[in-house]
Amino acid sequence: MSNLKKVNVFRRSLMRNLTKNVGSVDIRNIEPIDKSKIKKVLICRPNGRLGNMLLITPLVQEVAKTFPGCTIDVFVKGTLAPIVFEEYENIDKIIHLPKKPFKELVKYFKVWTLIRTQNYDIAINVDQNSSSGRLGVKFSSAKYKFFGNLPEGVTLEHSDYDHIAKYPVYNFRYFLNQAGIEDKNEPIALLDLKLSEKEIANGKTILDSIIDPNKRTIAIFTYATGEKCYNPVWWEEFYTALKKEFPNENIFEVLPVENVSQINFEAPTFYSKDVREIGSVLANVDVFVGADSGIMHLSSASKAPTAGLFSVSNLKKYEPYGNGSVGLDTNVLGVPDFIKAIHKILDK
């Protein structure tokens, strides 16, 4: 582990210890909430990764549905949130926490001042292990504050509770239920980039210039960060099997921002740095195949049937869902299983 990683691990551990008791109140004693009076909401997810932004879209949809007409501010890191939430009508302010707070102290303190001065009716922390998220809720002047965690001893029985896009919604529903708002036990919303019809049509135009528009299309993404990235030998075997099994389908590769390919650019390729443009292209494919990554979640949020490959990450926590999507554990499954899964998606 590099010195920088060691510092970050220590910093996160220190912050968790300092903030672990922030918001340690029993939400079973919360006073009743009048839904009609909830007009302004703060959602805290100070993380800048594409996947993590997309994974809170189900919660944003839940809040908008629960409190019709409310406006929502999101407390985040990085610059991707405005792109992800571009078509979300309820989103008002996007509050950015600087990536390097000690180098940008003025911006850092301005963020906390802004949070403090807004008249929020309710503040929600998405990840109970996020120190900054918990502090954001604590620091707000919201009447109702949900720190993301359940009371000690409370467990929720849902088969998909472990999923990182779903348990924040389940936990929030429990919080609201304690405040007298009925839990209708509806399915959790899908990840959603909310692509416009114009964007999807533009994506089809781009895709049709790469492949044969009269054939079904398989998109592959051969890259991922760190240990999640499968090596060229692994991908070469898989790609060879794909070509043999699906000779009548288009197979093309979506390239990462690094513009590298684990199959040495053997397939037709698509490259873009525009997140919404990538999503618009993926919205037109018949199946996407790729390792756990921000692009995998982007595919899911673009409503493409997605086959996610998992070797390191927790499959139950991060697997794509909806639209026939599936997570595949490559530690126990092999190429024939991946081919079978793709067939199942294409044959629906």
Side-chain angles (χ1 to χ4, degrees), residues 6-24:
K6 288 179 181 178
V7 169
N8 284 329
V9 168
F10 174 77
R11 177 180 58 81
R12 293 190 188 101
S13 177
L14 176 62
M15 287 301 294
R16 287 195 188 104
N17 286 329
L18 291 173
T19 61
K20 63 182 179 181
N21 293 319
V22 171
S24 58

Side-chain angles (χ1 to χ4, degrees), residues 273-293:
K273 293 182 179 180
D274 185 326
V275 168
R276 297 192 71 87
E277 184 176 72
I278 299 169
S280 73
V281 170
L282 293 177
N284 289 281
V285 307
D286 294 284
V287 60
F288 168 93
V289 185
D292 174 31
S293 65

Side-chain angles (χ1 to χ4, degrees), residues 243-296:
K243 290 188 294 182
K244 181 179 179 180
E245 189 68 26
F246 301 101
N248 298 316
E249 278 77 19
N250 299 303
I251 302 173
F252 82 102
E253 182 179 8
V254 179
L255 297 173
V257 68
E258 293 83 358
N259 198 21
V260 296
S261 169
Q262 299 296 85
I263 58 170
N264 198 30
F265 301 95
E266 290 183 23
T269 60
F270 166 66
Y271 179 83
S272 176
K273 293 182 179 180
D274 185 326
V275 168
R276 297 192 71 87
E277 184 176 72
I278 299 169
S280 73
V281 170
L282 293 177
N284 289 281
V285 307
D286 294 284
V287 60
F288 168 93
V289 185
D292 174 31
S293 65
I295 298 297
M296 182 199 76

Side-chain angles (χ1 to χ4, degrees), residues 37 65 76 80 82 90 112 115-116 129-131 134 143 217 220 313 317:
K37 293 183 178 180
K65 185 177 181 180
V76 298
L80 289 172
N90 293 75
W112 295 105
I115 289 175
R116 184 65 180 176
N129 294 315
S130 170
S131 303
R134 295 178 73 86
K143 180 177 181 181
T217 300
I220 60 174
S313 307
K317 186 174 183 179

Side-chain angles (χ1 to χ4, degrees), residues 21-48:
N21 293 319
V22 171
S24 58
V25 294
D26 194 335
I27 59 178
R28 287 171 292 198
N29 297 322
I30 187 175
E31 64 178 274
I33 294 176
D34 182 347
K35 288 201 298 183
S36 67
K37 293 183 178 180
I38 303 299
K39 302 297 183 183
K40 194 169 182 64
V41 180
L42 173 68
I43 295 179
C44 299
R45 186 61 168 114
N47 186 292

Side-chain angles (χ1 to χ4, degrees), residues 120-140:
Y120 296 116
D121 298 301
I122 187 168
I124 306 161
N125 178 40
V126 177
D127 181 4
Q128 65 184 37
N129 294 315
S130 170
S131 303
S132 297
R134 295 178 73 86
L135 287 173
V137 172
K138 180 69 174 178
F139 203 64
S140 77

